[in-house]
Amino acid sequence: MKIMAVCGSGLGSSFMMEMNIKKALKKLGIEAEVNHTDLASVTPNDADLFVMARDIADSSSISPDKIVVVKNLVSVAEFEEKLSAYFNR
């Protein structure tokens, strides 16, 4: 399983998201390869799952069923909640 954190510029925000995704996955007991990138560079084949904010998700070329949308990029609890919901569906 590959997960990609995506933000507008691909630097600070997506790296912070990557770290929070890793923390959430550890709490959930899920193993995955997690990376980060910017919206302009991302392609649908880069990962199995993409995590991004709503504004980015609305303008991405990624299929909505492969996207987890987060509101608070610093909330590990939200990442844990959203990822748990994705993996348990």
Side-chain angles (χ1 to χ4, degrees), residues 7-33:
C7 75
S9 63
L11 300 172
S13 298
S14 62
F15 180 67
M16 181 174 39
M17 289 171 51
E18 176 185 340
M19 301 309 292
N20 288 336
I21 291 167
K22 288 178 178 178
K23 289 176 187 176
L25 291 175
K26 185 173 183 176
K27 286 183 177 183
L28 295 169
I30 298 170
E31 291 190 30
E33 177 184 332

PDB file of all heavy atoms in Angstrom, residues 7-33:
ATOM      1  N   CYS A   7      -0.121  18.471  -1.336  1.00  0.00           N
ATOM      2  CA  CYS A   7      -0.504  19.856  -1.046  1.00  0.00           C
ATOM      3  C   CYS A   7      -0.200  20.713  -2.268  1.00  0.00           C
ATOM      4  O   CYS A   7       0.311  20.221  -3.266  1.00  0.00           O
ATOM      5  CB  CYS A   7       0.199  20.387   0.202  1.00  0.00           C
ATOM      6  SG  CYS A   7       1.922  20.791  -0.017  1.00  0.00           S
ATOM      7  N   GLY A   8      -0.517  21.973  -2.185  1.00  0.00           N
ATOM      8  CA  GLY A   8      -0.355  22.871  -3.318  1.00  0.00           C
ATOM      9  C   GLY A   8       1.079  23.046  -3.768  1.00  0.00           C
ATOM     10  O   GLY A   8       1.371  23.062  -4.958  1.00  0.00           O
ATOM     11  N   SER A   9       2.011  23.152  -2.827  1.00  0.00           N
ATOM     12  CA  SER A   9       3.398  23.396  -3.196  1.00  0.00           C
ATOM     13  C   SER A   9       4.307  22.184  -3.014  1.00  0.00           C
ATOM     14  O   SER A   9       5.408  22.152  -3.534  1.00  0.00           O
ATOM     15  CB  SER A   9       3.964  24.567  -2.378  1.00  0.00           C
ATOM     16  OG  SER A   9       3.976  24.230  -1.015  1.00  0.00           O
ATOM     17  N   GLY A  10       3.856  21.186  -2.252  1.00  0.00           N
ATOM     18  CA  GLY A  10       4.632  19.959  -2.096  1.00  0.00           C
ATOM     19  C   GLY A  10       5.762  20.034  -1.098  1.00  0.00           C
ATOM     20  O   GLY A  10       6.602  19.154  -1.043  1.00  0.00           O
ATOM     21  N   LEU A  11       5.797  21.080  -0.301  1.00  0.00           N
ATOM     22  CA  LEU A  11       6.897  21.216   0.645  1.00  0.00           C
ATOM     23  C   LEU A  11       6.427  21.018   2.083  1.00  0.00           C
ATOM     24  O   LEU A  11       6.206  19.909   2.519  1.00  0.00           O
ATOM     25  CB  LEU A  11       7.584  22.569   0.456  1.00  0.00           C
ATOM     26  CG  LEU A  11       8.172  22.794  -0.942  1.00  0.00           C
ATOM     27  CD1 LEU A  11       8.645  24.223  -1.100  1.00  0.00           C
ATOM     28  CD2 LEU A  11       9.305  21.832  -1.193  1.00  0.00           C
ATOM     29  N   GLY A  12       6.245  22.085   2.808  1.00  0.00           N
ATOM     30  CA  GLY A  12       5.948  22.017   4.234  1.00  0.00           C
ATOM     31  C   GLY A  12       4.664  21.307   4.590  1.00  0.00           C
ATOM     32  O   GLY A  12       4.645  20.413   5.435  1.00  0.00           O
ATOM     33  N   SER A  13       3.562  21.703   3.978  1.00  0.00           N
ATOM     34  CA  SER A  13       2.258  21.131   4.346  1.00  0.00           C
ATOM     35  C   SER A  13       2.184  19.640   4.062  1.00  0.00           C
ATOM     36  O   SER A  13       1.723  18.870   4.906  1.00  0.00           O
ATOM     37  CB  SER A  13       1.131  21.836   3.591  1.00  0.00           C
ATOM     38  OG  SER A  13       1.079  23.190   3.932  1.00  0.00           O
ATOM     39  N   SER A  14       2.639  19.227   2.904  1.00  0.00           N
ATOM     40  CA  SER A  14       2.544  17.807   2.572  1.00  0.00           C
ATOM     41  C   SER A  14       3.505  16.978   3.417  1.00  0.00           C
ATOM     42  O   SER A  14       3.202  15.842   3.780  1.00  0.00           O
ATOM     43  CB  SER A  14       2.767  17.556   1.086  1.00  0.00           C
ATOM     44  OG  SER A  14       4.062  17.956   0.699  1.00  0.00           O
ATOM     45  N   PHE A  15       4.657  17.537   3.781  1.00  0.00           N
ATOM     46  CA  PHE A  15       5.585  16.812   4.642  1.00  0.00           C
ATOM     47  C   PHE A  15       4.979  16.635   6.037  1.00  0.00           C
ATOM     48  O   PHE A  15       5.059  15.566   6.630  1.00  0.00           O
ATOM     49  CB  PHE A  15       6.929  17.527   4.730  1.00  0.00           C
ATOM     50  CG  PHE A  15       7.917  16.807   5.608  1.00  0.00           C
ATOM     51  CD1 PHE A  15       8.422  15.566   5.241  1.00  0.00           C
ATOM     52  CD2 PHE A  15       8.334  17.362   6.795  1.00  0.00           C
ATOM     53  CE1 PHE A  15       9.320  14.890   6.050  1.00  0.00           C
ATOM     54  CE2 PHE A  15       9.233  16.694   7.618  1.00  0.00           C
ATOM     55  CZ  PHE A  15       9.731  15.461   7.247  1.00  0.00           C
ATOM     56  N   MET A  16       4.336  17.687   6.546  1.00  0.00           N
ATOM     57  CA  MET A  16       3.669  17.604   7.837  1.00  0.00           C
ATOM     58  C   MET A  16       2.542  16.564   7.782  1.00  0.00           C
ATOM     59  O   MET A  16       2.367  15.767   8.705  1.00  0.00           O
ATOM     60  CB  MET A  16       3.100  18.973   8.223  1.00  0.00           C
ATOM     61  CG  MET A  16       2.418  18.995   9.562  1.00  0.00           C
ATOM     62  SD  MET A  16       1.898  20.635  10.089  1.00  0.00           S
ATOM     63  CE  MET A  16       1.306  21.377   8.594  1.00  0.00           C
ATOM     64  N   MET A  17       1.793  16.550   6.680  1.00  0.00           N
ATOM     65  CA  MET A  17       0.741  15.553   6.504  1.00  0.00           C
ATOM     66  C   MET A  17       1.333  14.149   6.475  1.00  0.00           C
ATOM     67  O   MET A  17       0.776  13.224   7.079  1.00  0.00           O
ATOM     68  CB  MET A  17      -0.041  15.832   5.220  1.00  0.00           C
ATOM     69  CG  MET A  17      -0.926  17.050   5.300  1.00  0.00           C
ATOM     70  SD  MET A  17      -1.653  17.533   3.707  1.00  0.00           S
ATOM     71  CE  MET A  17      -2.374  16.027   3.130  1.00  0.00           C
ATOM     72  N   GLU A  18       2.448  13.975   5.777  1.00  0.00           N
ATOM     73  CA  GLU A  18       3.108  12.670   5.715  1.00  0.00           C
ATOM     74  C   GLU A  18       3.445  12.172   7.120  1.00  0.00           C
ATOM     75  O   GLU A  18       3.179  11.006   7.461  1.00  0.00           O
ATOM     76  CB  GLU A  18       4.387  12.760   4.881  1.00  0.00           C
ATOM     77  CG  GLU A  18       5.181  11.468   4.850  1.00  0.00           C
ATOM     78  CD  GLU A  18       6.520  11.579   4.128  1.00  0.00           C
ATOM     79  OE1 GLU A  18       6.713  12.508   3.318  1.00  0.00           O
ATOM     80  OE2 GLU A  18       7.378  10.715   4.388  1.00  0.00           O
ATOM     81  N   MET A  19       4.005  13.038   7.949  1.00  0.00           N
ATOM     82  CA  MET A  19       4.372  12.655   9.307  1.00  0.00           C
ATOM     83  C   MET A  19       3.129  12.284  10.128  1.00  0.00           C
ATOM     84  O   MET A  19       3.130  11.298  10.869  1.00  0.00           O
ATOM     85  CB  MET A  19       5.150  13.781  10.003  1.00  0.00           C
ATOM     86  CG  MET A  19       6.429  14.183   9.282  1.00  0.00           C
ATOM     87  SD  MET A  19       7.525  12.802   8.878  1.00  0.00           S
ATOM     88  CE  MET A  19       8.038  12.305  10.489  1.00  0.00           C
ATOM     89  N   ASN A  20       2.047  13.043   9.967  1.00  0.00           N
ATOM     90  CA  ASN A  20       0.811  12.755  10.699  1.00  0.00           C
ATOM     91  C   ASN A  20       0.141  11.477  10.202  1.00  0.00           C
ATOM     92  O   ASN A  20      -0.462  10.747  10.987  1.00  0.00           O
ATOM     93  CB  ASN A  20      -0.142  13.943  10.634  1.00  0.00           C
ATOM     94  CG  ASN A  20       0.350  15.091  11.490  1.00  0.00           C
ATOM     95  OD1 ASN A  20       1.103  14.892  12.443  1.00  0.00           O
ATOM     96  ND2 ASN A  20      -0.060  16.295  11.169  1.00  0.00           N
ATOM     97  N   ILE A  21       0.230  11.213   8.915  1.00  0.00           N
ATOM     98  CA  ILE A  21      -0.300   9.955   8.363  1.00  0.00           C
ATOM     99  C   ILE A  21       0.450   8.773   8.979  1.00  0.00           C
ATOM    100  O   ILE A  21      -0.154   7.794   9.396  1.00  0.00           O
ATOM    101  CB  ILE A  21      -0.192   9.931   6.818  1.00  0.00           C
ATOM    102  CG1 ILE A  21      -1.150  10.952   6.204  1.00  0.00           C
ATOM    103  CG2 ILE A  21      -0.449   8.524   6.275  1.00  0.00           C
ATOM    104  CD1 ILE A  21      -0.882  11.226   4.733  1.00  0.00           C
ATOM    105  N   LYS A  22       1.770   8.890   9.058  1.00  0.00           N
ATOM    106  CA  LYS A  22       2.575   7.812   9.633  1.00  0.00           C
ATOM    107  C   LYS A  22       2.202   7.571  11.097  1.00  0.00           C
ATOM    108  O   LYS A  22       2.094   6.421  11.529  1.00  0.00           O
ATOM    109  CB  LYS A  22       4.066   8.130   9.501  1.00  0.00           C
ATOM    110  CG  LYS A  22       4.573   8.012   8.081  1.00  0.00           C
ATOM    111  CD  LYS A  22       6.036   8.381   7.979  1.00  0.00           C
ATOM    112  CE  LYS A  22       6.544   8.211   6.561  1.00  0.00           C
ATOM    113  NZ  LYS A  22       7.955   8.605   6.415  1.00  0.00           N
ATOM    114  N   LYS A  23       1.994   8.646  11.855  1.00  0.00           N
ATOM    115  CA  LYS A  23       1.587   8.511  13.258  1.00  0.00           C
ATOM    116  C   LYS A  23       0.228   7.828  13.357  1.00  0.00           C
ATOM    117  O   LYS A  23       0.027   6.940  14.189  1.00  0.00           O
ATOM    118  CB  LYS A  23       1.526   9.884  13.934  1.00  0.00           C
ATOM    119  CG  LYS A  23       2.877  10.520  14.170  1.00  0.00           C
ATOM    120  CD  LYS A  23       2.713  11.920  14.745  1.00  0.00           C
ATOM    121  CE  LYS A  23       4.036  12.644  14.826  1.00  0.00           C
ATOM    122  NZ  LYS A  23       3.876  14.042  15.286  1.00  0.00           N
ATOM    123  N   ALA A  24      -0.715   8.244  12.518  1.00  0.00           N
ATOM    124  CA  ALA A  24      -2.061   7.666  12.542  1.00  0.00           C
ATOM    125  C   ALA A  24      -2.026   6.196  12.147  1.00  0.00           C
ATOM    126  O   ALA A  24      -2.678   5.359  12.788  1.00  0.00           O
ATOM    127  CB  ALA A  24      -2.987   8.450  11.616  1.00  0.00           C
ATOM    128  N   LEU A  25      -1.268   5.859  11.119  1.00  0.00           N
ATOM    129  CA  LEU A  25      -1.174   4.462  10.675  1.00  0.00           C
ATOM    130  C   LEU A  25      -0.573   3.582  11.762  1.00  0.00           C
ATOM    131  O   LEU A  25      -1.005   2.443  11.956  1.00  0.00           O
ATOM    132  CB  LEU A  25      -0.338   4.359   9.396  1.00  0.00           C
ATOM    133  CG  LEU A  25      -0.960   4.949   8.133  1.00  0.00           C
ATOM    134  CD1 LEU A  25       0.035   4.889   6.985  1.00  0.00           C
ATOM    135  CD2 LEU A  25      -2.254   4.246   7.766  1.00  0.00           C
ATOM    136  N   LYS A  26       0.419   4.110  12.472  1.00  0.00           N
ATOM    137  CA  LYS A  26       1.040   3.346  13.557  1.00  0.00           C
ATOM    138  C   LYS A  26       0.007   3.038  14.637  1.00  0.00           C
ATOM    139  O   LYS A  26      -0.083   1.910  15.124  1.00  0.00           O
ATOM    140  CB  LYS A  26       2.218   4.122  14.149  1.00  0.00           C
ATOM    141  CG  LYS A  26       2.979   3.357  15.181  1.00  0.00           C
ATOM    142  CD  LYS A  26       4.226   4.095  15.622  1.00  0.00           C
ATOM    143  CE  LYS A  26       4.994   3.233  16.630  1.00  0.00           C
ATOM    144  NZ  LYS A  26       6.249   3.847  17.025  1.00  0.00           N
ATOM    145  N   LYS A  27      -0.818   4.042  15.000  1.00  0.00           N
ATOM    146  CA  LYS A  27      -1.867   3.830  15.994  1.00  0.00           C
ATOM    147  C   LYS A  27      -2.900   2.813  15.515  1.00  0.00           C
ATOM    148  O   LYS A  27      -3.457   2.059  16.304  1.00  0.00           O
ATOM    149  CB  LYS A  27      -2.575   5.147  16.325  1.00  0.00           C
ATOM    150  CG  LYS A  27      -1.768   6.085  17.169  1.00  0.00           C
ATOM    151  CD  LYS A  27      -2.582   7.311  17.506  1.00  0.00           C
ATOM    152  CE  LYS A  27      -1.823   8.245  18.421  1.00  0.00           C
ATOM    153  NZ  LYS A  27      -2.656   9.396  18.809  1.00  0.00           N
ATOM    154  N   LEU A  28      -3.159   2.804  14.200  1.00  0.00           N
ATOM    155  CA  LEU A  28      -4.150   1.894  13.627  1.00  0.00           C
ATOM    156  C   LEU A  28      -3.580   0.507  13.340  1.00  0.00           C
ATOM    157  O   LEU A  28      -4.325  -0.412  12.988  1.00  0.00           O
ATOM    158  CB  LEU A  28      -4.720   2.488  12.336  1.00  0.00           C
ATOM    159  CG  LEU A  28      -5.524   3.773  12.483  1.00  0.00           C
ATOM    160  CD1 LEU A  28      -5.797   4.391  11.118  1.00  0.00           C
ATOM    161  CD2 LEU A  28      -6.830   3.499  13.224  1.00  0.00           C
ATOM    162  N   GLY A  29      -2.258   0.368  13.433  1.00  0.00           N
ATOM    163  CA  GLY A  29      -1.626  -0.911  13.148  1.00  0.00           C
ATOM    164  C   GLY A  29      -1.606  -1.248  11.667  1.00  0.00           C
ATOM    165  O   GLY A  29      -1.651  -2.419  11.293  1.00  0.00           O
ATOM    166  N   ILE A  30      -1.521  -0.220  10.818  1.00  0.00           N
ATOM    167  CA  ILE A  30      -1.522  -0.411   9.366  1.00  0.00           C
ATOM    168  C   ILE A  30      -0.148  -0.046   8.815  1.00  0.00           C
ATOM    169  O   ILE A  30       0.388   1.013   9.120  1.00  0.00           O
ATOM    170  CB  ILE A  30      -2.607   0.469   8.697  1.00  0.00           C
ATOM    171  CG1 ILE A  30      -3.990   0.054   9.202  1.00  0.00           C
ATOM    172  CG2 ILE A  30      -2.514   0.375   7.176  1.00  0.00           C
ATOM    173  CD1 ILE A  30      -5.098   1.007   8.789  1.00  0.00           C
ATOM    174  N   GLU A  31       0.407  -0.937   8.005  1.00  0.00           N
ATOM    175  CA  GLU A  31       1.697  -0.666   7.381  1.00  0.00           C
ATOM    176  C   GLU A  31       1.488  -0.140   5.974  1.00  0.00           C
ATOM    177  O   GLU A  31       0.687  -0.674   5.214  1.00  0.00           O
ATOM    178  CB  GLU A  31       2.553  -1.930   7.346  1.00  0.00           C
ATOM    179  CG  GLU A  31       3.023  -2.365   8.712  1.00  0.00           C
ATOM    180  CD  GLU A  31       4.051  -3.467   8.623  1.00  0.00           C
ATOM    181  OE1 GLU A  31       4.796  -3.528   7.626  1.00  0.00           O
ATOM    182  OE2 GLU A  31       4.098  -4.277   9.564  1.00  0.00           O
ATOM    183  N   ALA A  32       2.211   0.937   5.646  1.00  0.00           N
ATOM    184  CA  ALA A  32       2.126   1.521   4.311  1.00  0.00           C
ATOM    185  C   ALA A  32       3.363   2.367   4.050  1.00  0.00           C
ATOM    186  O   ALA A  32       3.990   2.860   4.986  1.00  0.00           O
ATOM    187  CB  ALA A  32       0.876   2.384   4.180  1.00  0.00           C
ATOM    188  N   GLU A  33       3.678   2.510   2.795  1.00  0.00           N
ATOM    189  CA  GLU A  33       4.740   3.427   2.375  1.00  0.00           C
ATOM    190  C   GLU A  33       4.088   4.793   2.199  1.00  0.00           C
ATOM    191  O   GLU A  33       3.099   4.909   1.470  1.00  0.00           O
ATOM    192  CB  GLU A  33       5.329   2.947   1.047  1.00  0.00           C
ATOM    193  CG  GLU A  33       6.397   3.851   0.484  1.00  0.00           C
ATOM    194  CD  GLU A  33       6.892   3.387  -0.880  1.00  0.00           C
ATOM    195  OE1 GLU A  33       6.840   2.167  -1.152  1.00  0.00           O
ATOM    196  OE2 GLU A  33       7.291   4.245  -1.666  1.00  0.00           O
TER     197      GLU A  33
END
